[in-house]
Amino acid sequence: MSPQNILLLLTIAEQALTTVAAVRAALAKASAEGRDVTDEEVAQVMSGMREHADALVREFGR
Amino acid sequence: MGRYSKAIGASLGGALATIIVWLLNTYVVAQPLDEAVVAAIVTVVTAATTYWAPANTPPAPKPPSSTVSIVPLLFMVVVLTGCAGSTLRPETPNQRFLATAAAIDAVSVTVLAECRSGTLSRDACADAAGILGQAAGAVEAGWGLYTAGSRVSGEDQLILAAALLAQARALLAARLGGDA
């Protein structure tokens, strides 16, 4: 595996840990408040996902 | 000019020397210049223009090789989704949708940054864009069905997963030169 691949994997792994921590925090907050994750919270994450996926497709898609 | 600056300078010097000799022969001297004088003029003018011409510049460096394949990206998509799905142990549909969307978003953000920095090849970025765009669309569609009151069956999820895997397999096979 080339250094580029290793660097890419480390970068994505770092991003994954950050994401997991953020999701855990969101779930913990909802749990502490005795409720489920709200539709609005899910929609907000969906919106971010769509925004970045769109940017990827727009800039680099075929 | 660039990498051939000195050669271009010498050519210009030769042309300039030819013009100078022609002007001298036409307007200045009565008899055509001796060959030795012409040679001296050409030599001096050519050497001078070559000397004063900008230095040759090395060829522009090639952009960093973009040999990173799509394989680790696909691998990480699976790992991230599995990580979010198993480590967090989401118990409700909302939690599952949140975790899945966050995982896809994390991959999209990272891939986008890598593509913009030029680490990934254009082809790899295009492949990743196709897969992540479809994955995002699939999650959104599932969320839309769920919030509309429709139940996303396990069979629907399997069909969706099979479609995504088939696309990933086709892309990988194309990259490896095999049959999709």
Side-chain angles (χ1 to χ4, degrees):
Chain A
M1 181 176 279
S2 72
Q4 276 183 318
N5 284 24
I6 295 172
L7 180 62
L8 181 63
L9 288 178
L10 290 176
T11 306
I12 296 179
E14 183 184 10
Q15 186 69 36
L17 289 178
T18 305
T19 303
V20 168
V23 173
R24 286 182 73 94
L27 297 185
K29 179 185 174 188
S31 177
E33 295 172 358
R35 60 173 176 82
D36 190 9
V37 175
T38 65
D39 289 359
E40 288 73 23
E41 288 170 328
V42 177
Q44 190 176 1
V45 176
M46 291 265 180
S47 175
M49 173 191 70
R50 168 50 59 195
E51 180 185 342
H52 294 126
D54 280 348
L56 196 57
V57 172
R58 186 174 58 251
E59 294 182 32
F60 300 99
R62 289 193 174 90
Chain B
M1 302 284 271
R3 57 190 296 193
Y4 303 112
S5 299
K6 291 293 184 186
I8 294 173
S11 299
L12 290 175
L16 186 61
T18 303
I19 293 172
I20 290 173
V21 170
W22 178 80
L23 289 173
L24 290 174
N25 280 337
T26 304
Y27 299 108
V28 178
V29 298
Q31 297 294 322
L33 293 172
D34 185 79
E35 288 181 3
V37 175
V38 173
I41 293 173
V42 170
T43 300
V44 169
V45 174
T46 303
T49 55
T50 305
Y51 176 80
W52 289 109
N56 293 338
T57 54
K62 293 180 179 179
S65 63
S66 302
T67 55
V68 178
S69 72
I70 195 70
V71 177
L73 291 177
L74 295 174
F75 175 72
M76 288 310 297
V77 170
V78 175
V79 170
L80 277 173
T81 307
C83 180
S86 63
T87 305
L88 297 174
R89 301 183 187 286
E91 296 173 349
T92 67
N94 275 21
Q95 291 180 359
R96 277 195 289 274
F97 278 114
L98 181 73
T100 307
I104 294 173
D105 189 31
V107 177
S108 298
V109 167
T110 308
V111 170
L112 189 59
E114 297 298 327
C115 289
R116 283 174 174 167
S117 70
T119 304
L120 291 170
S121 70
R122 193 81 192 177
D123 280 341
C125 291
D127 291 346
I131 292 173
L132 291 170
Q134 282 210 1
V139 174
E140 282 182 333
W143 175 246
L145 286 172
Y146 175 72
T147 53
S150 302
R151 184 173 179 277
V152 183
S153 68
E155 187 180 5
D156 292 336
Q157 294 178 34
L158 282 177
I159 292 173
L160 172 64
L164 288 173
L165 280 176
Q167 188 192 25
R169 177 179 171 278
L171 289 170
L172 278 175
R175 287 284 164 273
L176 297 173
D179 296 328

